[in-house]
Amino acid sequence: RKEVEQDPGPFNVPEGATVAFNCTYSNSASQSFFWYRQDCRKEPKLLMSVYSSGNEDGRFTAQLNRASQYISLLIRDSKLSDSATYLCVVKNTGGFKTIFGAGTRLFVKA
Amino acid sequence: DAGVTQSPTHLIKTRGQQVTLRCSPKSGHDTVSWYQQALGQGPQFIFQYYEEEERQRGNFPDRFSGHQFPNYSSELNVNALLLGDSALYLCASSSGRLTDTQYFGPGTRLTVL
């Protein structure tokens, strides 16, 4: 079983739609959680950290469920510019290794 | 404020050769991590350098080695290249106290023929 698993997609949605991505992690000792965005042939960029209480940044909302060991990302009012691969990232307690999921591809169409 | 830089941007090698990739961290950062990203996959952690020492290593063979210099820049060396080493190699920098926040460089695309 992979340490971090994501639905690979692709998700094809129209502009203005709401889309949700889920991610599961296998190590209950995982301590830090993030969502990164990666455009085609570019480097990953931090989208947002994920906190236990959930957090929101504009149209983006991240949630963490420690009991079920999953993380979610909700994008509201999708824009064409949201088209990218979204990477779920986990870091374990006491370690420096960062574990990336394989990513979920999103296409937003006009 | 310069971000993370990597060189070269592209590289073509043949099986059995050796390669050295270079990374300069973002200004103010002292920690460098290296990742391998195969096509269609997420980045895989190779190792992290801090204070010129390898602090943690992922599941990569000894053919992958690295170095960090006093100015915090870093090199990734790969010996005895295999076809499967073809990938995008990403460098990420962070501050020793805030390693959760990583900034990635544009990567080096390595093709092994």
Side-chain angles (χ1 to χ4, degrees):
Chain A
R1 182 185 175 187
K2 291 184 179 179
E3 291 183 87
V4 178
E5 296 203 64
Q6 297 182 246
D7 181 342
F11 284 61
N12 292 286
V13 302
E15 270 188 297
T18 295
V19 61
F21 306 137
N22 290 326
C23 164
T24 58
Y25 60 95
S26 61
N27 189 339
S28 59
S30 297
Q31 186 67 25
S32 304
F33 309 91
F34 312 89
W35 284 100
Y36 276 72
R37 170 198 169 121
Q38 187 172 26
D39 293 296
C40 189
R41 303 186 74 82
K42 297 284 190 181
E43 71 273 21
K45 291 184 179 177
L46 178 65
L47 181 65
M48 58 198 304
S49 301
V50 186
Y51 303 120
S52 296
S53 54
N55 48 301
E56 188 174 308
D57 183 2
R59 298 181 293 108
F60 299 84
T61 300
Q63 297 278 351
L64 168 63
N65 185 319
R66 286 188 184 273
S68 301
Q69 295 182 203
Y70 82 77
I71 309 147
S72 65
L73 177 68
L74 183 76
I75 305 175
R76 291 182 299 278
D77 189 23
S78 298
K79 311 292 185 190
L80 293 175
S81 58
D82 293 335
S83 297
T85 296
Y86 291 83
L87 298 160
C88 174
V89 181
V90 170
K91 195 170 173 184
N92 296 333
T93 305
F96 303 102
K97 178 181 174 182
T98 305
I99 305 160
F100 283 75
T104 298
R105 192 79 173 90
L106 172 66
F107 293 98
V108 181
K109 56 186 186 294
Chain B
D1 178 22
V4 181
T5 60
Q6 291 186 243
S7 63
T9 54
H10 295 84
L11 204 51
I12 298 175
K13 293 285 188 178
T14 56
R15 280 178 296 175
Q17 284 189 311
Q18 178 265 341
V19 67
T20 297
L21 310 182
R22 295 176 177 83
C23 171
S24 290
K26 182 178 168 65
S27 178
H29 285 181
D30 55 10
T31 302
V32 172
S33 302
W34 285 94
Y35 294 84
Q36 180 195 67
Q37 186 174 24
L39 201 61
Q41 299 298 314
Q44 299 295 306
F45 178 84
I46 302 175
F47 40 53
Q48 184 180 91
Y49 277 85
Y50 173 69
E51 293 187 341
E52 301 179 50
E53 297 281 338
E54 183 183 290
R55 183 152 71 171
Q56 188 161 6
R57 187 179 186 92
N59 297 324
F60 280 80
D62 292 345
R63 298 187 297 109
F64 290 78
S65 63
H67 188 78
Q68 186 178 35
F69 299 94
N71 67 353
Y72 307 121
S73 67
S74 177
E75 288 183 349
L76 164 65
N77 300 291
V78 187
N79 295 322
L81 284 167
L82 304 172
L83 296 179
D85 294 333
S86 295
L88 179 68
Y89 288 85
L90 293 159
C91 165
S93 77
S94 55
S95 168
R97 292 176 295 172
L98 297 169
T99 57
D100 280 359
T101 304
Q102 295 186 89
Y103 293 84
F104 282 83
T108 294
R109 190 162 297 280
L110 172 65
T111 301
V112 182
L113 302 176

